[in-house]
Amino acid sequence: MVKQTIQIYARVKPLARRQQAGIYSVSEDEKSVSSLEIIVPRDLADGFVNNKRESYKFKFQKIFDQEVKQDAVFESIAKPVAECALAGYNGTIFAYGQTGSGKTFTITGGAERYSDRGIIPRTLSYIFQQLEKDSSKVYTTHVSYLEIYNECGYDLLDPRHEASRLEDLPKVTIMEDPDQNIHLKNLSLQQATNEEEALNLLFLGDTNRMIAETPMNQASTRSHCIFTIHISSKEPGSATIRRSKLHLVDLAGSERVAKTGVGGQLLTEAKYINLSLHYLEQVIIALAEKHRSHIPYRNSMMTSVLRDSLGGNCMTTMIATLSLDKRNIDESISTCRFAQRVALIKNEAVLNEEIDPRLMIIQLKKVIQELKDELAMVTGEQRTEELTQEELLQLDEIVKTFLEDPDPESMLDVGADMRKIKHCFNYVKVYSDTNTSEKKEELKKLRDLLHQRDNEISILYVTGFIWV
Ligand SMILES: Nc1ncnc2c1ncn2[C@@H]1O[C@H](COP(=O)(O)OP(=O)(O)OP(=O)(O)O)[C@@H](O)[C@H]1O
């Protein structure tokens, strides 16, 4: 079991040309903990008098400032989580931040340049590279892509639909089993056997996501998207299967503070525009409080789906996306505050291993047969039915390999079935008889040759070709 708090990272979006930079600084202490200090000048903030604090400091595992590129973000954040998923642990990476702060850019990527691809395509690429390298296990990979809008789930990977509206996509509903495990009804799991197939599925999902945008559901701002990579692995011959899920989550825009302007207050009335993010916050608050027994996961679909990622069996990472221009400083501060609370949540990730019942039955049948054979040998009660032709050929092969193995410590094991043991003895007899007669034949040939050479030499003496 791996006990770990949720890891929090911050990423600062580059300023657009006409944006005015806010005042902030990034520093790192001797233990490599990064700090972000945001300054809101007392005299003037966004045109209003600021009577509040001037300096806001937040700690993160690492802060990626404006110039940091996608490959560095992947290496630091996603690669370790992908490695854990390959080893059999659940993982979640979610991006949280206000609209336009770079959540989609970080999770999915930008369309302009190949180097702009984000965490999802890079993680898929990395996972398939690793699978190709590891021949010790058999891996199976599936992906799913869920969009949650207004408390309704939609399957973005439904291959039968060419969606023109979000409502055209199959609706996904939540079901809970008696052990409180969440199951998503109607969410398709599509198999991907290589990187290309997985990327095609991502593309299908992103296309559906874009096409299904309606005036009611503007851009990704109001919906949450969860791309999940499901990995299962098994060693050949073993009945134990490891299963893990890696959720890559692009949350809805988190803006919630209404800038009233009245009285010049900057950080005032909290107004939630997205109820499910409000419920997410409720869950985070409840989890961060000690001795809190009830966690309100069930209040929203998103918190139900991410239940394991928040205070459960998962290694979870949050990326706080920040837009640190002057106008968005207040939103960035509330994103950082949210992240600090998230950092208090402890998760306990366990290795997800289970026994495949089908393989287990095959193995147990074999064990039962071996035990029956041993019992029959001990009690003298022999099995009388004939061995099949296939079984006989298999036995011949096993004995031949054993006899031809130069290793003096090699063993012949055919179990306790007397029919098999007898057949092996017969094979050994025939094998050694064949070998002996072959050797006799060879000896005779050599003797004949020797005799012939002696005769030839005697003739040479007699004819005087050889002088002594
Ligand atoms: N690190 C970055 N480098 C370059 N461009 C970026 C970066 N982050 C974001 N952008 C650009 O900023 C714009 C807004 O980013 P993005 O769409 O990712 O925001 P978002 O947080 O997902 O918004 P929403 O909540 O509406 O989905 C996009 O044009 C994106 O390409």
Side-chain angles (χ1 to χ4, degrees), residues 159-212:
R160 290 165 303 171
H161 283 82
E162 281 188 16
S164 58
R165 294 176 313 152
L166 196 61
E167 292 73 25
D168 293 339
L169 293 168
K171 269 198 177 171
V172 178
T173 48
I174 285 194
M175 310 228 291
E176 201 174 319
D177 67 19
D179 296 329
Q180 299 195 330
N181 295 313
I182 297 290
H183 301 277
L184 295 168
K185 197 174 152 206
N186 263 353
L187 180 69
S188 61
L189 281 192
Q190 307 284 346
Q191 184 162 11
T193 51
N194 55 40
E195 182 185 344
E196 194 190 341
E197 282 178 18
L199 289 178
N200 284 342
L201 288 165
L202 172 65
F203 183 71
L204 169 72
D206 282 339
T207 310
N208 276 337
R209 190 176 165 186
M210 262 182 324
I211 292 172

Short mmCIF file of all heavy atoms in Angstrom, two decimals, residues 159-212:
data_model
loop_
_atom_site.label_atom_id
_atom_site.label_comp_id
_atom_site.label_asym_id
_atom_site.label_seq_id
_atom_site.Cartn_x
_atom_site.Cartn_y
_atom_site.Cartn_z
N PRO A 159 -18.97 4.88 -31.05
CA PRO A 159 -18.60 4.87 -32.47
C PRO A 159 -19.81 4.94 -33.39
O PRO A 159 -19.68 5.26 -34.56
CB PRO A 159 -17.87 3.53 -32.62
CG PRO A 159 -18.33 2.70 -31.49
CD PRO A 159 -18.86 3.57 -30.41
N ARG A 160 -21.01 4.64 -32.88
CA ARG A 160 -22.18 4.59 -33.77
C ARG A 160 -22.74 5.98 -34.06
O ARG A 160 -23.52 6.17 -34.94
CB ARG A 160 -23.28 3.76 -33.12
CG ARG A 160 -22.95 2.28 -33.06
CD ARG A 160 -23.89 1.60 -32.10
NE ARG A 160 -23.81 2.23 -30.79
CZ ARG A 160 -24.63 1.98 -29.80
NH1 ARG A 160 -25.60 1.14 -29.95
NH2 ARG A 160 -24.48 2.56 -28.61
N HIS A 161 -22.36 6.92 -33.24
CA HIS A 161 -22.98 8.23 -33.38
C HIS A 161 -22.10 9.23 -34.09
O HIS A 161 -20.91 9.29 -33.84
CB HIS A 161 -23.32 8.80 -32.00
CG HIS A 161 -24.53 8.18 -31.42
ND1 HIS A 161 -24.48 6.98 -30.78
CD2 HIS A 161 -25.82 8.58 -31.40
CE1 HIS A 161 -25.70 6.68 -30.37
NE2 HIS A 161 -26.52 7.63 -30.74
N GLU A 162 -22.72 9.98 -34.94
CA GLU A 162 -22.03 11.17 -35.41
C GLU A 162 -22.80 12.30 -34.76
O GLU A 162 -23.80 12.78 -35.28
CB GLU A 162 -22.07 11.24 -36.92
CG GLU A 162 -21.04 10.31 -37.51
CD GLU A 162 -20.90 10.48 -38.98
OE1 GLU A 162 -21.36 11.49 -39.54
OE2 GLU A 162 -20.33 9.57 -39.60
N ALA A 163 -22.35 12.68 -33.61
CA ALA A 163 -23.15 13.59 -32.81
C ALA A 163 -23.16 14.99 -33.40
O ALA A 163 -22.15 15.48 -33.87
CB ALA A 163 -22.56 13.65 -31.41
N SER A 164 -24.33 15.59 -33.40
CA SER A 164 -24.37 16.99 -33.76
C SER A 164 -24.80 17.81 -32.56
O SER A 164 -24.67 19.02 -32.53
CB SER A 164 -25.30 17.22 -34.95
OG SER A 164 -26.58 16.75 -34.60
N ARG A 165 -25.35 17.11 -31.57
CA ARG A 165 -25.69 17.76 -30.29
C ARG A 165 -25.22 16.85 -29.18
O ARG A 165 -25.13 15.62 -29.36
CB ARG A 165 -27.20 17.94 -30.17
CG ARG A 165 -27.79 18.90 -31.18
CD ARG A 165 -29.29 18.92 -31.05
NE ARG A 165 -29.84 17.57 -30.97
CZ ARG A 165 -30.96 17.25 -30.34
NH1 ARG A 165 -31.64 18.18 -29.71
NH2 ARG A 165 -31.41 16.01 -30.33
N LEU A 166 -24.96 17.42 -28.04
CA LEU A 166 -24.50 16.62 -26.90
C LEU A 166 -25.53 15.54 -26.57
O LEU A 166 -25.19 14.39 -26.28
CB LEU A 166 -24.29 17.54 -25.68
CG LEU A 166 -23.48 16.97 -24.53
CD1 LEU A 166 -22.09 16.62 -24.98
CD2 LEU A 166 -23.44 17.96 -23.39
N GLU A 167 -26.79 15.89 -26.70
CA GLU A 167 -27.88 14.95 -26.35
C GLU A 167 -27.92 13.74 -27.29
O GLU A 167 -28.57 12.75 -26.99
CB GLU A 167 -29.25 15.67 -26.37
CG GLU A 167 -29.46 16.71 -25.28
CD GLU A 167 -28.65 17.98 -25.50
OE1 GLU A 167 -28.31 18.29 -26.66
OE2 GLU A 167 -28.33 18.67 -24.51
N ASP A 168 -27.23 13.85 -28.46
CA ASP A 168 -27.21 12.71 -29.37
C ASP A 168 -26.31 11.59 -28.86
O ASP A 168 -26.40 10.45 -29.31
CB ASP A 168 -26.66 13.13 -30.75
CG ASP A 168 -27.61 14.09 -31.45
OD1 ASP A 168 -28.79 14.11 -31.08
OD2 ASP A 168 -27.13 14.82 -32.34
N LEU A 169 -25.40 11.93 -27.98
CA LEU A 169 -24.47 10.93 -27.47
C LEU A 169 -25.17 10.07 -26.41
O LEU A 169 -26.09 10.55 -25.74
CB LEU A 169 -23.25 11.61 -26.84
CG LEU A 169 -22.34 12.36 -27.80
CD1 LEU A 169 -21.36 13.23 -27.02
CD2 LEU A 169 -21.56 11.38 -28.66
N PRO A 170 -24.73 8.81 -26.25
CA PRO A 170 -25.37 7.96 -25.24
C PRO A 170 -25.20 8.55 -23.84
O PRO A 170 -24.12 9.04 -23.51
CB PRO A 170 -24.60 6.64 -25.34
CG PRO A 170 -23.83 6.70 -26.59
CD PRO A 170 -23.64 8.12 -26.95
N LYS A 171 -26.28 8.50 -23.08
CA LYS A 171 -26.23 9.05 -21.71
C LYS A 171 -25.61 8.03 -20.77
O LYS A 171 -25.97 6.85 -20.79
CB LYS A 171 -27.64 9.36 -21.24
CG LYS A 171 -28.04 10.76 -21.55
CD LYS A 171 -29.21 11.18 -20.72
CE LYS A 171 -29.52 12.63 -21.03
NZ LYS A 171 -30.74 13.09 -20.47
N VAL A 172 -24.71 8.48 -19.96
CA VAL A 172 -24.04 7.58 -19.01
C VAL A 172 -24.65 7.80 -17.62
O VAL A 172 -24.82 8.94 -17.20
CB VAL A 172 -22.52 7.88 -18.98
CG1 VAL A 172 -21.81 7.00 -17.97
CG2 VAL A 172 -21.91 7.71 -20.37
N THR A 173 -24.99 6.71 -16.97
CA THR A 173 -25.55 6.87 -15.61
C THR A 173 -24.69 6.11 -14.60
O THR A 173 -23.93 5.21 -14.96
CB THR A 173 -27.00 6.33 -15.54
OG1 THR A 173 -27.00 5.05 -16.14
CG2 THR A 173 -27.97 7.25 -16.22
N ILE A 174 -24.86 6.51 -13.36
CA ILE A 174 -24.05 5.91 -12.30
C ILE A 174 -24.82 4.82 -11.58
O ILE A 174 -26.00 4.98 -11.28
CB ILE A 174 -23.66 7.01 -11.29
CG1 ILE A 174 -22.57 7.87 -11.90
CG2 ILE A 174 -23.22 6.45 -9.97
CD1 ILE A 174 -21.88 8.75 -10.92
N MET A 175 -24.15 3.71 -11.32
CA MET A 175 -24.78 2.67 -10.51
C MET A 175 -23.80 2.32 -9.40
O MET A 175 -22.59 2.29 -9.63
CB MET A 175 -25.00 1.42 -11.35
CG MET A 175 -25.69 1.69 -12.66
SD MET A 175 -27.02 0.59 -12.93
CE MET A 175 -26.16 -0.91 -13.18
N GLU A 176 -24.33 2.05 -8.24
CA GLU A 176 -23.46 1.72 -7.11
C GLU A 176 -23.78 0.31 -6.66
O GLU A 176 -24.95 -0.04 -6.49
CB GLU A 176 -23.73 2.72 -5.97
CG GLU A 176 -22.59 2.81 -4.99
CD GLU A 176 -22.81 3.91 -3.96
OE1 GLU A 176 -23.27 5.00 -4.32
OE2 GLU A 176 -22.51 3.63 -2.79
N ASP A 177 -22.76 -0.53 -6.49
CA ASP A 177 -23.04 -1.90 -6.04
C ASP A 177 -23.06 -1.94 -4.51
O ASP A 177 -22.77 -0.93 -3.85
CB ASP A 177 -22.04 -2.90 -6.68
CG ASP A 177 -20.62 -2.71 -6.19
OD1 ASP A 177 -20.43 -2.09 -5.12
OD2 ASP A 177 -19.70 -3.19 -6.87
N PRO A 178 -23.43 -3.09 -3.92
CA PRO A 178 -23.54 -3.14 -2.45
C PRO A 178 -22.23 -2.79 -1.73
O PRO A 178 -22.24 -2.33 -0.59
CB PRO A 178 -23.93 -4.59 -2.17
CG PRO A 178 -24.52 -5.08 -3.45
CD PRO A 178 -23.87 -4.33 -4.54
N ASP A 179 -21.08 -2.99 -2.41
CA ASP A 179 -19.80 -2.62 -1.78
C ASP A 179 -19.43 -1.17 -2.04
O ASP A 179 -18.29 -0.76 -1.84
CB ASP A 179 -18.67 -3.51 -2.33
CG ASP A 179 -18.89 -4.95 -1.96
OD1 ASP A 179 -19.48 -5.19 -0.89
OD2 ASP A 179 -18.49 -5.84 -2.75
N GLN A 180 -20.40 -0.40 -2.51
CA GLN A 180 -20.23 1.02 -2.79
C GLN A 180 -19.24 1.31 -3.92
O GLN A 180 -18.67 2.39 -4.00
CB GLN A 180 -19.80 1.77 -1.53
CG GLN A 180 -20.82 1.68 -0.42
CD GLN A 180 -20.59 2.70 0.66
OE1 GLN A 180 -19.46 3.09 0.90
NE2 GLN A 180 -21.66 3.14 1.29
N ASN A 181 -19.04 0.31 -4.79
CA ASN A 181 -18.21 0.58 -5.97
C ASN A 181 -19.08 1.23 -7.03
O ASN A 181 -20.24 0.85 -7.21
CB ASN A 181 -17.64 -0.72 -6.54
CG ASN A 181 -16.69 -1.37 -5.56
OD1 ASN A 181 -15.82 -0.70 -5.00
ND2 ASN A 181 -16.88 -2.66 -5.32
N ILE A 182 -18.49 2.20 -7.71
CA ILE A 182 -19.25 2.93 -8.72
C ILE A 182 -19.08 2.26 -10.09
O ILE A 182 -17.97 1.91 -10.48
CB ILE A 182 -18.72 4.39 -8.81
CG1 ILE A 182 -18.94 5.12 -7.49
CG2 ILE A 182 -19.31 5.15 -9.99
CD1 ILE A 182 -20.37 5.44 -7.18
N HIS A 183 -20.21 2.06 -10.79
CA HIS A 183 -20.14 1.53 -12.15
C HIS A 183 -20.82 2.52 -13.09
O HIS A 183 -21.85 3.10 -12.73
CB HIS A 183 -20.86 0.18 -12.24
CG HIS A 183 -20.25 -0.83 -11.32
ND1 HIS A 183 -19.15 -1.56 -11.65
CD2 HIS A 183 -20.58 -1.18 -10.05
CE1 HIS A 183 -18.82 -2.33 -10.62
NE2 HIS A 183 -19.67 -2.13 -9.64
N LEU A 184 -20.22 2.72 -14.25
CA LEU A 184 -20.79 3.70 -15.18
C LEU A 184 -21.51 2.95 -16.29
O LEU A 184 -20.87 2.31 -17.14
CB LEU A 184 -19.68 4.59 -15.74
CG LEU A 184 -19.04 5.47 -14.67
CD1 LEU A 184 -17.77 6.11 -15.20
CD2 LEU A 184 -20.00 6.55 -14.20
N LYS A 185 -22.84 3.05 -16.26
CA LYS A 185 -23.64 2.32 -17.25
C LYS A 185 -23.63 3.12 -18.55
O LYS A 185 -23.82 4.34 -18.52
CB LYS A 185 -25.06 2.18 -16.71
CG LYS A 185 -25.86 1.14 -17.41
CD LYS A 185 -27.18 0.95 -16.76
CE LYS A 185 -28.16 0.46 -17.81
NZ LYS A 185 -29.50 0.80 -17.50
N ASN A 186 -23.40 2.43 -19.65
CA ASN A 186 -23.40 3.03 -20.99
C ASN A 186 -22.10 3.71 -21.39
O ASN A 186 -22.03 4.29 -22.47
CB ASN A 186 -24.51 4.09 -21.14
CG ASN A 186 -25.72 3.50 -21.79
OD1 ASN A 186 -25.67 2.37 -22.25
ND2 ASN A 186 -26.79 4.25 -21.82
N LEU A 187 -21.11 3.66 -20.54
CA LEU A 187 -19.82 4.26 -20.95
C LEU A 187 -19.02 3.16 -21.64
O LEU A 187 -18.70 2.14 -21.02
CB LEU A 187 -19.05 4.80 -19.74
CG LEU A 187 -17.71 5.44 -20.09
CD1 LEU A 187 -17.92 6.75 -20.85
CD2 LEU A 187 -16.89 5.73 -18.84
N SER A 188 -18.72 3.36 -22.95
CA SER A 188 -18.04 2.28 -23.66
C SER A 188 -16.55 2.25 -23.34
O SER A 188 -15.92 3.28 -23.16
CB SER A 188 -18.24 2.43 -25.17
OG SER A 188 -17.69 3.65 -25.60
N LEU A 189 -16.05 1.03 -23.25
CA LEU A 189 -14.60 0.83 -23.08
C LEU A 189 -14.09 0.34 -24.42
O LEU A 189 -14.48 -0.72 -24.88
CB LEU A 189 -14.34 -0.28 -22.06
CG LEU A 189 -14.44 0.02 -20.58
CD1 LEU A 189 -13.86 -1.12 -19.79
CD2 LEU A 189 -13.69 1.30 -20.26
N GLN A 190 -13.25 1.12 -25.06
CA GLN A 190 -12.76 0.75 -26.38
C GLN A 190 -11.34 0.22 -26.26
O GLN A 190 -10.50 0.87 -25.66
CB GLN A 190 -12.74 1.96 -27.32
CG GLN A 190 -14.05 2.71 -27.40
CD GLN A 190 -15.09 2.00 -28.25
OE1 GLN A 190 -14.76 1.07 -29.00
NE2 GLN A 190 -16.32 2.40 -28.12
N GLN A 191 -11.13 -0.96 -26.87
CA GLN A 191 -9.78 -1.53 -26.80
C GLN A 191 -8.83 -0.77 -27.72
O GLN A 191 -9.21 -0.39 -28.83
CB GLN A 191 -9.79 -3.00 -27.16
CG GLN A 191 -8.41 -3.63 -26.98
CD GLN A 191 -8.43 -5.13 -26.89
OE1 GLN A 191 -9.44 -5.76 -27.17
NE2 GLN A 191 -7.31 -5.71 -26.52
N ALA A 192 -7.62 -0.53 -27.24
CA ALA A 192 -6.59 0.09 -28.08
C ALA A 192 -5.36 -0.80 -27.97
O ALA A 192 -4.84 -0.99 -26.88
CB ALA A 192 -6.28 1.49 -27.58
N THR A 193 -4.92 -1.36 -29.11
CA THR A 193 -3.78 -2.28 -29.03
C THR A 193 -2.46 -1.56 -29.29
O THR A 193 -1.40 -2.12 -29.06
CB THR A 193 -3.92 -3.45 -30.02
OG1 THR A 193 -4.19 -2.87 -31.30
CG2 THR A 193 -5.04 -4.38 -29.66
N ASN A 194 -2.53 -0.34 -29.78
CA ASN A 194 -1.30 0.43 -29.97
C ASN A 194 -1.58 1.92 -29.85
O ASN A 194 -2.74 2.33 -29.72
CB ASN A 194 -0.64 0.10 -31.32
CG ASN A 194 -1.62 0.31 -32.47
OD1 ASN A 194 -2.38 1.27 -32.47
ND2 ASN A 194 -1.61 -0.59 -33.42
N GLU A 195 -0.50 2.70 -29.91
CA GLU A 195 -0.62 4.15 -29.70
C GLU A 195 -1.55 4.78 -30.73
O GLU A 195 -2.39 5.63 -30.39
CB GLU A 195 0.78 4.77 -29.79
CG GLU A 195 0.78 6.25 -29.54
CD GLU A 195 2.15 6.88 -29.74
OE1 GLU A 195 3.15 6.15 -29.77
OE2 GLU A 195 2.21 8.12 -29.87
N GLU A 196 -1.42 4.34 -31.98
CA GLU A 196 -2.21 4.95 -33.03
C GLU A 196 -3.71 4.77 -32.78
O GLU A 196 -4.50 5.71 -32.90
CB GLU A 196 -1.81 4.34 -34.38
CG GLU A 196 -2.33 5.13 -35.55
CD GLU A 196 -2.13 4.40 -36.85
OE1 GLU A 196 -1.30 3.47 -36.92
OE2 GLU A 196 -2.84 4.75 -37.81
N GLU A 197 -4.09 3.55 -32.39
CA GLU A 197 -5.52 3.29 -32.13
C GLU A 197 -6.01 4.15 -30.97
O GLU A 197 -7.11 4.69 -31.00
CB GLU A 197 -5.72 1.81 -31.78
CG GLU A 197 -5.70 0.90 -32.98
CD GLU A 197 -5.85 -0.57 -32.62
OE1 GLU A 197 -6.32 -0.89 -31.50
OE2 GLU A 197 -5.50 -1.39 -33.47
N ALA A 198 -5.17 4.28 -29.94
CA ALA A 198 -5.57 5.07 -28.77
C ALA A 198 -5.71 6.54 -29.15
O ALA A 198 -6.66 7.22 -28.73
CB ALA A 198 -4.54 4.90 -27.66
N LEU A 199 -4.78 7.04 -29.98
CA LEU A 199 -4.85 8.45 -30.40
C LEU A 199 -6.08 8.70 -31.28
O LEU A 199 -6.71 9.75 -31.20
CB LEU A 199 -3.58 8.86 -31.14
CG LEU A 199 -2.33 8.99 -30.27
CD1 LEU A 199 -1.12 9.36 -31.12
CD2 LEU A 199 -2.51 10.04 -29.18
N ASN A 200 -6.43 7.70 -32.11
CA ASN A 200 -7.64 7.84 -32.94
C ASN A 200 -8.87 7.96 -32.05
O ASN A 200 -9.78 8.73 -32.34
CB ASN A 200 -7.79 6.65 -33.88
CG ASN A 200 -6.83 6.75 -35.04
OD1 ASN A 200 -6.30 7.82 -35.33
ND2 ASN A 200 -6.57 5.64 -35.70
N LEU A 201 -8.89 7.20 -30.95
CA LEU A 201 -10.03 7.27 -30.03
C LEU A 201 -10.08 8.64 -29.35
O LEU A 201 -11.14 9.23 -29.20
CB LEU A 201 -9.94 6.14 -28.99
CG LEU A 201 -10.21 4.75 -29.56
CD1 LEU A 201 -9.76 3.66 -28.59
CD2 LEU A 201 -11.70 4.58 -29.88
N LEU A 202 -8.91 9.13 -28.97
CA LEU A 202 -8.85 10.47 -28.34
C LEU A 202 -9.40 11.51 -29.32
O LEU A 202 -10.18 12.39 -28.96
CB LEU A 202 -7.40 10.79 -27.96
CG LEU A 202 -7.13 12.21 -27.48
CD1 LEU A 202 -7.84 12.48 -26.17
CD2 LEU A 202 -5.63 12.45 -27.30
N PHE A 203 -9.00 11.35 -30.59
CA PHE A 203 -9.44 12.29 -31.62
C PHE A 203 -10.95 12.21 -31.80
O PHE A 203 -11.64 13.24 -31.88
CB PHE A 203 -8.70 11.96 -32.92
CG PHE A 203 -9.02 12.90 -34.03
CD1 PHE A 203 -8.57 14.21 -34.01
CD2 PHE A 203 -9.81 12.49 -35.11
CE1 PHE A 203 -8.89 15.09 -35.04
CE2 PHE A 203 -10.13 13.36 -36.13
CZ PHE A 203 -9.67 14.66 -36.10
N LEU A 204 -11.48 10.96 -31.82
CA LEU A 204 -12.93 10.78 -31.95
C LEU A 204 -13.66 11.49 -30.79
O LEU A 204 -14.63 12.22 -31.01
CB LEU A 204 -13.27 9.28 -31.94
CG LEU A 204 -14.75 8.91 -31.79
CD1 LEU A 204 -15.52 9.23 -33.07
CD2 LEU A 204 -14.92 7.43 -31.46
N GLY A 205 -13.16 11.30 -29.60
CA GLY A 205 -13.77 11.91 -28.42
C GLY A 205 -13.71 13.42 -28.47
O GLY A 205 -14.71 14.11 -28.21
N ASP A 206 -12.54 13.95 -28.86
CA ASP A 206 -12.40 15.41 -28.91
C ASP A 206 -13.28 16.01 -30.01
O ASP A 206 -13.81 17.10 -29.86
CB ASP A 206 -10.92 15.80 -29.14
CG ASP A 206 -10.12 15.68 -27.86
OD1 ASP A 206 -10.74 15.72 -26.77
OD2 ASP A 206 -8.90 15.53 -27.92
N THR A 207 -13.44 15.24 -31.12
CA THR A 207 -14.30 15.73 -32.20
C THR A 207 -15.74 15.76 -31.70
O THR A 207 -16.45 16.75 -31.89
CB THR A 207 -14.17 14.81 -33.43
OG1 THR A 207 -12.80 14.64 -33.70
CG2 THR A 207 -14.86 15.38 -34.64
N ASN A 208 -16.18 14.68 -31.07
CA ASN A 208 -17.55 14.65 -30.52
C ASN A 208 -17.76 15.78 -29.52
O ASN A 208 -18.81 16.39 -29.47
CB ASN A 208 -17.81 13.31 -29.82
CG ASN A 208 -18.26 12.25 -30.81
OD1 ASN A 208 -18.76 12.57 -31.87
ND2 ASN A 208 -18.06 10.99 -30.44
N ARG A 209 -16.71 16.04 -28.75
CA ARG A 209 -16.80 17.09 -27.72
C ARG A 209 -17.02 18.45 -28.37
O ARG A 209 -17.83 19.25 -27.92
CB ARG A 209 -15.48 17.07 -26.95
CG ARG A 209 -15.44 17.88 -25.72
CD ARG A 209 -14.09 17.61 -25.08
NE ARG A 209 -13.80 18.60 -24.07
CZ ARG A 209 -12.65 18.70 -23.43
NH1 ARG A 209 -11.68 17.84 -23.68
NH2 ARG A 209 -12.44 19.61 -22.53
N MET A 210 -16.31 18.67 -29.47
CA MET A 210 -16.41 19.97 -30.15
C MET A 210 -17.72 20.12 -30.89
O MET A 210 -18.40 21.12 -30.79
CB MET A 210 -15.25 20.12 -31.14
CG MET A 210 -14.12 20.92 -30.56
SD MET A 210 -12.78 21.18 -31.67
CE MET A 210 -12.59 19.76 -32.64
N ILE A 211 -18.08 19.01 -31.63
CA ILE A 211 -19.29 19.08 -32.45
C ILE A 211 -20.51 19.25 -31.55
O ILE A 211 -21.45 19.97 -31.88
CB ILE A 211 -19.43 17.79 -33.30
CG1 ILE A 211 -18.32 17.78 -34.34
CG2 ILE A 211 -20.78 17.73 -33.98
CD1 ILE A 211 -18.21 16.50 -35.11
N ALA A 212 -20.46 18.61 -30.39
CA ALA A 212 -21.64 18.60 -29.52
C ALA A 212 -21.78 19.88 -28.70
O ALA A 212 -22.68 19.99 -27.90
CB ALA A 212 -21.58 17.39 -28.61
#
